[in-house]
Amino acid sequence: MSDGPPKHEMQYFPNMTAAMPSENAEFRRVLWTGLYSQVVLMTVPVGGDIGDEVHTVDQALTFTSGVGKATINGKDQDVKAGDLMVVPAGTQHQFVNTGPTPLILYTIYSPAEHDPRTVHKTKEEGDEEEEAGKDEAPKWARQSQAENEKAGLVNTSG
């Protein structure tokens, strides 16, 4: 995976809305990071959770396998495979696996939330890296559209 901005090429992830293989036991894996968004695959183990948190970025989560409970600003909502949940920036949220199998989802952050090379085998590993400042989105993924155009990262003329 590159440390720099993405190439202007298609990224294809087939069958993302189908049940993802539960043998993907990694808690978090960044699949792709763009200038204005990031795709991350997550597996929440049975009885596990993602952690009660608030981001400075928008987040859309699509559940592909399992069942769970979302708590958004104190309001609970059951979630299951096929559901989409949007969490606006600055909103408290927590997702708990309430089922007998892993809760698998992919999430889109806008802009990026994690280092493009991030792979966390467990929630604890992810928490440690975040607290140590080792899992930060790259500067180029946090720049404004004008900055990216000026840097030549976006060519609007085709």
Side-chain angles (χ1 to χ4, degrees):
M1 181 162 299
S2 171
D3 288 339
K7 296 179 182 177
H8 297 280
E9 300 174 346
M10 172 179 34
Q11 297 296 310
Y12 179 62
F13 303 100
N15 300 317
M16 287 294 286
T17 57
M20 302 293 286
S22 60
E23 59 267 12
N24 171 42
E26 297 162 343
F27 176 72
R28 179 184 295 122
R29 174 182 285 275
V30 172
L31 298 178
W32 181 83
T33 303
L35 294 177
Y36 308 113
S37 61
Q38 183 175 61
V39 181
V40 177
L41 180 62
M42 295 186 73
T43 301
V44 183
V46 173
D49 63 76
I50 66 163
D52 193 9
E53 57 190 6
V54 176
H55 296 302
T56 59
V57 302
D58 292 329
Q59 185 176 11
L61 305 94
T62 300
F63 298 88
T64 63
S65 183
V67 294
K69 180 178 79 172
T71 303
I72 311 297
N73 267 350
K75 182 179 177 189
D76 292 339
Q77 174 66 54
D78 290 334
V79 294
K80 64 185 179 322
D83 290 351
L84 169 69
M85 177 72 66
V86 176
V87 180
T91 305
Q92 174 275 334
H93 59 283
Q94 165 69 297
F95 295 89
V96 178
N97 182 346
T98 59
T101 61
L103 178 63
I104 302 175
L105 63 105
Y106 66 91
T107 183
I108 299 174
Y109 294 101
S110 181
E113 176 72 6
H114 298 283
D115 182 300
R117 299 162 297 186
T118 292
V119 176
H120 295 140
K121 296 200 182 311
T122 65
K123 177 182 178 301
E124 293 74 23
E125 179 183 358
D127 289 346
E128 287 173 17
E129 287 194 11
E130 287 179 7
E131 289 172 19
K134 296 179 180 177
D135 184 27
E136 301 294 323
K139 182 176 186 262
W140 52 261
R142 293 292 183 119
Q143 295 180 146
S144 70
Q145 182 178 354
E147 289 172 303
N148 285 332
E149 288 174 4
K150 185 177 180 182
L153 299 177
V154 177
N155 180 357
T156 59
S157 63

